[in-house]
Amino acid sequence: MSAVPDDPTLERHFRGHRDDVTSLDFSTSTKQIASGSMDACVMIWSMKPQSRACRFVGHQAAVTSVAFSPSAHLLASASRDKTVRLWVPSAKGESSVFRAHTGTVRSVSFSSDGQTLVTASDDKSIKVWTVHRQKFLFSLNQHINWVRCARFSPDGRLIVSASDDRTVKLWDKNSRECVHSFCDHSGYVNTVAFHPSGTCVAAAGTDNTVKVWDIRSHRLLQHYQVHSAAVNDLSFHPSGNFLISASSDSTLKILDLLEGRLLYTLHGHQGPATCVSFSRAGDFFASAGSDQQVMVWRTNFDSVDYSAVLEQRCAADSIASVHSGPFTQESEAAGVSAGRSSHRSDSRAGPDSQTEVDRVPAALTNTLQHIISQLDVLTQTVAILEQRLTLTEDKLQECVQNQCQIAEQRPDPQR
């Protein structure tokens, strides 16, 4: 393991919310950070110095979750008002809205291809939707208490959920069946996330612990009791080597998954730290809490160029997914050590060696990314226009009905 040159450093902090901040997410390019709050607002902060923040108003109650689409051309938000909104993250802040659940919507998350959404709710259900037209696809209903969080696996074939029934459930998206329940938590489970390799999940909750399981063997790999109060959120570093958690004890804890130990304890928030998120490249992470602040930290964990590692991993995963299923049997520790293995294999490669990753044409990748981003914008525009058309039709129908009533009330001139 390479030496750690510096401690994490606080780069910037943002103020603008009027109540507890509940959720955070970085855009793909790390140019923007989205946040949701108990003040019912969504805000987008620019990483550019002296740039103004955008405040999006539309929800009628607290915003519980925010998530950028993979292309960052859409932003989803969930709320206690039982709705999900899809925003175009621009100064106009246009959005489409749909009633997602019969209870508070606790989380919303995009699939890796940006085509579907998964939502979790106090109505004890998990629902999957298409992004285009927000069409309902199916529901998952085996939890017996509020569902706090639901996430897609990196390949989109699995869903993991965390609930107040003290379980973490793993679902197969195609069969819509629960393939396993992890029951190791002794309290409510607040949050859950997939390891970047897709072979492990981590969860945390009110028992003050963070746990990591292998989803193939269903064994508990690591157990951390480093907080003195409930753990509210967690996020994997994109390399898969580190995990950060935010707790009601006001601290952030950074865990070294390769060595199975606590690496850093960060103090910055006054009151509970409610949410935390790594940037897509891993060079930054953001945290927020009940002090209404959003803090941005520079990682400094490792000198490895993670952006290059991530590009290779994404390409390798796409190639491997053609040949293997989600439950391929490998060594038990492979999930947690996947990031470090890729570093070592890269360092052993000679200057003339060429892997399958190197053969993926960069121009093709850029073209596909551009097409996906344009489809996101087109999808959102169509949804907004359809919503406006529906309102216009309703108003026309109302006008016709009013005219008919007026005509019926007029006296007949022939009488």
Side-chain angles (χ1 to χ4, degrees):
M1 180 174 181
S2 58
V4 179
D6 292 300
D7 295 339
T9 54
L10 182 63
E11 290 286 304
R12 301 189 65 182
H13 71 278
F14 301 106
R15 283 185 175 272
H17 283 296
R18 302 182 181 94
D19 209 332
D20 296 10
V21 183
T22 57
S23 182
L24 289 167
D25 194 27
F26 277 92
S27 66
T28 310
S29 64
T30 318
K31 293 180 180 179
Q32 294 178 318
I33 302 171
S35 61
S37 169
M38 297 287 286
D39 64 10
C41 293
V42 174
M43 296 195 72
I44 294 184
W45 314 89
S46 175
M47 289 290 282
K48 294 180 180 179
Q50 301 178 347
S51 296
R52 295 184 64 182
C54 296
R55 184 190 301 273
F56 295 163
V57 179
H59 284 293
Q60 303 301 309
V63 177
T64 54
S65 179
V66 293
F68 275 105
S69 66
S71 67
H73 287 277
L74 290 177
L75 175 68
S77 61
S79 172
R80 283 185 178 174
D81 65 12
K82 307 174 186 178
T83 70
V84 168
R85 283 184 177 266
L86 287 175
W87 308 83
V88 177
S90 62
K92 292 183 179 180
E94 293 183 321
S95 69
S96 60
V97 59
F98 63 98
R99 174 102 171 197
H101 289 270
T102 58
T104 295
V105 188
R106 291 287 173 183
S107 81
V108 62
S109 183
F110 285 90
S111 58
S112 58
D113 63 6
Q115 300 304 305
T116 50
L117 287 168
V118 61
T119 57
S121 171
D122 286 2
D123 64 12
K124 307 175 187 177
S125 74
I126 301 144
K127 294 185 179 182
V128 177
W129 312 78
T130 63
V131 173
H132 180 58
R133 299 190 180 185
Q134 296 88 60
K135 180 184 176 182
F136 170 74
L137 294 178
F138 60 87
S139 183
L140 306 172
N141 296 292
Q142 289 190 26
H143 282 293
I144 58 174
N145 208 332
W146 295 358
V147 188
R148 296 277 180 176
C149 186
R151 299 280 185 265
F152 283 107
S153 62
D155 62 12
R157 289 183 284 181
L158 300 172
I159 294 170
V160 68
S161 58
S163 170
D164 281 8
D165 64 12
R166 304 185 179 188
T167 69
V168 171
K169 291 187 183 295
L170 194 65
W171 311 81
D172 185 292
K173 182 186 171 186
N174 292 328
S175 68
R176 305 176 189 179
E177 296 292 330
C178 178
V179 295
H180 191 74
S181 292
F182 299 99
C183 305
D184 300 272
H185 280 283
S186 59
Y188 300 157
V189 189
N190 290 329
T191 183
V192 67
F194 269 98
H195 187 274
S197 68
T199 61
C200 302
V201 293
T206 60
D207 61 2
N208 309 350
T209 68
V210 175
K211 301 180 189 294
V212 182
W213 296 274
D214 187 315
I215 66 171
R216 301 155 301 180
S217 65
H218 303 151
R219 291 186 61 180
L220 181 65
L221 295 180
Q222 295 180 339
H223 169 97
Y224 299 93
Q225 192 150 10
V226 293
H227 287 287
S228 59
V231 185
N232 300 311
D233 198 13
L234 52 78
S235 178
F236 278 104
H237 189 276
S239 70
N241 295 344
F242 307 101
L243 182 70
I244 188 169
S245 56
S247 170
S248 293
D249 64 12
S250 304
T251 68
L252 309 175
K253 303 279 186 178
I254 298 167
L255 306 171
D256 185 330
L257 298 178
L258 297 180
E259 298 187 6
R261 66 184 179 93
L262 175 64
L263 194 60
Y264 295 106
T265 296
L266 302 178
H267 302 268
H269 290 285
Q270 302 297 316
T274 54
C275 48
V276 67
S277 178
F278 274 111
S279 65
R280 300 298 201 271
D283 48 348
F284 292 95
F285 62 92
S287 63
S290 61
D291 56 6
Q292 305 171 20
Q293 288 194 90
V294 175
M295 296 183 176
V296 182
W297 309 74
R298 186 175 292 277
T299 304
N300 298 328
F301 294 161
D302 208 324
S303 58
V304 174
D305 181 4
Y306 286 117
S307 60
V309 173
L310 291 173
E311 287 178 5
Q312 292 183 354
R313 171 172 289 171
C314 289
D317 287 347
S318 66
I319 293 168
S321 65
V322 177
H323 306 290
S324 63
F327 297 106
T328 304
Q329 292 298 322
E330 298 173 356
S331 64
E332 204 169 284
V336 177
S337 61
R340 185 49 49 111
S341 298
S342 65
H343 300 167
R344 288 175 177 167
S345 62
D346 291 343
S347 64
R348 285 196 298 266
D352 299 324
S353 64
Q354 186 181 30
T355 65
E356 285 186 286
V357 175
D358 298 325
R359 299 188 191 108
V360 178
L364 177 59
T365 302
N366 293 335
T367 302
L368 289 174
Q369 288 177 344
H370 178 70
I371 291 172
I372 291 171
S373 66
Q374 294 304 310
L375 284 173
D376 274 349
V377 174
L378 181 60
T379 296
Q380 184 62 15
T381 303
V382 169
I384 293 170
L385 289 174
E386 286 179 342
Q387 198 169 34
R388 289 178 177 175
L389 180 60
T390 302
L391 292 173
T392 303
E393 290 174 348
D394 291 344
K395 288 180 180 179
L396 286 172
Q397 188 175 3
E398 184 180 351
C399 288
V400 171
Q401 290 175 348
N402 289 339
Q403 292 296 325
C404 291
Q405 291 175 357
I406 293 171
E408 290 174 356
Q409 292 171 1
R410 288 176 181 169
D412 190 342
Q414 295 179 357
R415 291 183 181 176

